[in-house]
Amino acid sequence: MNADLNPDTEWMENVTYDELSVGQSARLLRTVRLEDIQTFAAVSGDINPAHLNAEYADATMFQGVIAHGMLGAAMISALFGTRFPGPGTIYLGQELKFTKPVRIGDTLTVLATVSEKDDEKKRVAMDCLVTNQKGEVVLKGVARLMPPTKKVRVPRVNAPQVQLFDPEARHKELLARVAGLQAVRCAVVHPCDAGSLSGAMEAAGHGLIVPVLIGPEGRIRRVAEEAGIDLGGVQIIAVEHSHAAAERAAAMAAGHEVEVLMKGSLHTDELLKAVLAQPALRTGRRLSHVFRFDVPLYPKPLLITDAAINIRPTLLEKADIIQNAIHFAQVLGIACPRVAILSAVETVTPGIPSTLDAAALCKMADRRQITGGLLDGPLAFDNAVSMEAARIKDIVSEVAGRADILAVPDLESGNMIAKQLEYLAGASGSGLVLGARVPIALTSRADGPMVRVASAVLAVLAAHDQRRQQAENAWKLG
């Protein structure tokens, strides 16, 4: 529709040189948010810790986070470019003096006043004053402009949306979930590369685990020396190779000597084979893996299962996988997690077997063969995570658009989704193996220390839940 014919169109109209007079002024008000400071840092590249690191900023003369000085200058520019003089203005120069810090929550008033006019060159000088809600001057100066000479009225253009995602802040939020919990004794299985060893030791440094390193001692110490990792006071159980390390770790878990297993530089199937060989570690439920992702464009953590262990699960195996994920979501504090059972389409289609499984799993939940969650499926990926996609496709569902758990049809599809979220969507993830008597932190060789620590956090939460269940069972028996 033509903007002139649309009654909802908002307009910007400028003030020409001839319409300006000395003493004429205009104001702009804006309250500074943390998001404004973060966005300015992202756009400008100015990551001075005084603006972004609360702990550092508290120790400075300002005693807290302050906004970038040029954020105030940008507000002056916004006034010139949009309202006074408005579209067509050319900004020639600016002299500024910063007089007080701007803090999160300050409401700033930008005042621009015409102080000089040059009729020959059609230029003006503007006195600029920025004050906070207390009336204190935080910024002042003089700007020189070439105002428009022709009257212009143009539709107001909405600024592009900026989605902020701070993986470090999300990581700190996850760490905060285990604050005050006792560190758990953890068997780190064959940590013979720098990634797995440093990840385990960093988790220990955060007070999450008490590591027991199991593997060839010479190799472990050599890796530690090359990577500059201090192993002082850390128990090392020497075994010859990765198979022996997996068997020893599983035996220790079965004997209640450790509460968590953490994968090092060995194949996943080696470790899980050793776990399955210990009857005391079996629960009667299928082992399955769950990813936990913080996704920039999704408002809450997202669990994906199973993208690492079960290649082509049967219907009953899918039921176990979903039940494992529901219980773990509850451990994470989601009382009744929403489970989207994924397929390529959202309708039951005989030619696509995963849609038939999805429908059967929903009916199993109705019959309480799967409990604790709210299931719906089949759902395609878009309408599982997007309310708008669900609305467009006329899907009425308590799960569509707001899933907590994505249950994938098979390992291939799940692994592709997980990798795409990580490498294309900028998601930060962690993972855990469920279904055994002890949680198993399972990471990839490509994972960095932050992912390994995050996986340790998940394992600690699961281990403490195991303690709670054991205590409850003991009380019932007593």
Side-chain angles (χ1 to χ4, degrees):
M1 178 185 289
N2 188 307
D4 290 313
L5 301 178
N6 187 349
D8 296 325
T9 299
E10 293 185 40
W11 298 89
M12 292 191 295
E13 187 171 329
N14 63 9
V15 181
T16 65
Y17 178 85
D18 291 335
E19 292 173 323
L20 291 170
S21 58
V22 174
Q24 189 176 358
S25 64
R27 284 179 170 80
L28 178 148
L29 269 72
R30 181 163 181 176
T31 299
V32 177
R33 306 168 301 156
L34 173 61
E35 291 85 353
D36 297 323
I37 297 173
Q38 292 173 326
T39 302
F40 194 88
V43 172
S44 67
D46 184 353
I47 55 172
N48 183 334
H51 309 308
L52 300 173
N53 186 325
E55 185 176 349
Y56 171 88
D58 287 343
T60 66
M61 62 181 289
F62 301 112
Q63 298 182 328
V65 168
I66 60 171
H68 303 75
M70 295 307 292
L71 181 58
M75 294 180 188
I76 296 174
S77 178
L79 176 59
F80 291 156
T82 62
R83 292 175 52 192
F84 186 72
T89 299
I90 297 175
Y91 211 152
L92 299 175
Q94 178 83 61
E95 299 170 8
L96 292 173
K97 184 176 181 181
F98 304 96
T99 55
K100 277 189 177 295
V102 174
R103 303 182 185 278
I104 297 167
D106 280 355
T107 298
L108 302 183
T109 300
V110 180
L111 175 66
T113 305
V114 180
S115 58
E116 297 177 17
K117 288 188 70 176
D118 183 339
D119 290 336
E120 182 180 348
K121 295 183 177 180
K122 302 292 184 182
R123 298 182 180 184
V124 299
M126 290 269 192
D127 286 337
C128 306
L129 195 67
V130 182
T131 56
N132 62 21
Q133 67 277 9
K134 299 176 183 177
E136 299 168 330
V137 176
V138 299
L139 177 62
K140 61 183 178 180
V142 176
R144 303 195 179 279
L145 310 173
M146 184 184 295
T149 55
K150 293 183 179 179
K151 197 70 175 174
V152 173
R153 183 172 179 264
V154 296
R156 179 178 292 275
V157 178
N158 291 325
Q161 289 189 345
V162 177
Q163 181 71 34
L164 292 173
F165 179 67
D166 185 344
E168 191 168 323
R170 297 283 186 96
H171 185 64
K172 288 179 179 177
E173 287 177 15
L174 184 60
L175 281 170
R177 297 186 64 87
V178 293
L181 293 182
Q182 183 182 15
V184 298
R185 191 168 163 83
C186 172
V188 187
V189 188
H190 202 254
C192 294
D193 66 354
S196 60
L197 186 58
S198 63
M201 295 310 297
E202 191 162 333
H206 282 287
L208 302 172
I209 63 172
V210 177
V212 180
L213 309 181
I214 307 176
E217 184 170 357
R219 286 183 63 186
I220 293 172
R221 292 197 180 279
R222 187 162 56 251
V223 168
E225 183 178 353
E226 291 173 355
I229 300 170
D230 182 10
L231 297 182
V234 177
Q235 182 182 1
I236 300 177
I237 297 178
V239 298
E240 291 182 345
H241 44 65
S242 57
H243 290 292
E247 290 168 2
R248 184 62 178 272
M252 291 179 69
H256 305 289
E257 297 177 64
V258 294
E259 294 182 82
V260 169
L261 300 179
M262 180 180 288
K263 176 179 174 282
S265 55
L266 77 168
H267 291 292
T268 298
D269 57 354
E270 280 186 85
L271 179 55
L272 297 186
K273 182 179 178 181
V275 169
L276 292 170
Q278 291 286 341
L281 295 181
R282 297 179 186 173
T283 62
R285 192 178 293 159
R286 182 105 180 151
L287 289 186
S288 63
H289 182 270
V290 62
F291 276 115
R292 178 194 180 275
F293 280 106
D294 282 313
V295 186
L297 293 179
Y298 202 64
K300 57 185 177 179
L302 190 61
L303 303 182
I304 298 177
T305 193
D306 178 343
I309 295 178
N310 293 282
I311 299 174
R312 296 182 190 86
T314 65
L315 176 63
L316 292 180
E317 288 167 351
K318 287 180 180 180
D320 270 359
I321 290 168
I322 290 171
Q323 191 66 71
N324 285 342
I326 289 172
H327 177 72
F328 184 63
Q330 291 171 334
V331 170
L332 295 179
I334 307 169
C336 184
R338 293 179 166 90
V339 184
I341 307 170
L342 297 188
S343 184
V345 296
E346 59 279 348
T347 54
V348 177
T349 306
I352 304 178
S354 60
T355 67
L356 303 178
D357 281 356
L361 289 163
C362 290
K363 184 51 67 177
M364 290 172 76
D366 290 343
R367 297 289 184 263
R368 299 193 59 76
Q369 291 172 271
I370 301 172
T371 60
L374 191 60
L375 277 63
D376 196 6
L379 291 172
F381 182 84
D382 58 345
N383 46 64
V385 297
S386 167
M387 295 285 284
E388 180 65 12
R391 184 191 65 78
I392 290 170
K393 294 189 177 181
D394 224 8
I395 299 172
V396 179
S397 166
E398 289 295 313
V399 174
R402 42 187 169 172
D404 298 298
I405 299 169
L406 301 181
V408 299
D410 52 39
L411 183 146
E412 288 178 305
S413 59
N415 197 269
M416 289 177 189
I417 290 173
K419 291 294 193 292
Q420 287 166 359
L421 288 176
E422 181 179 0
Y423 287 96
L424 293 181
S428 53
S430 48
L432 200 64
V433 175
L434 308 169
R437 293 288 179 194
V438 295
I440 305 168
L442 197 66
T443 51
S444 165
R445 284 171 295 174
D447 290 335
M450 187 181 290
V451 173
R452 295 176 187 273
V453 170
S455 296
V457 170
L458 303 185
V460 169
L461 290 169
H464 277 272
D465 183 68
Q466 293 271 23
R467 287 188 188 181
R468 179 190 59 78
Q469 290 184 62
Q470 291 168 6
E472 288 179 358
N473 292 337
W475 180 81
K476 289 175 183 176
L477 293 173

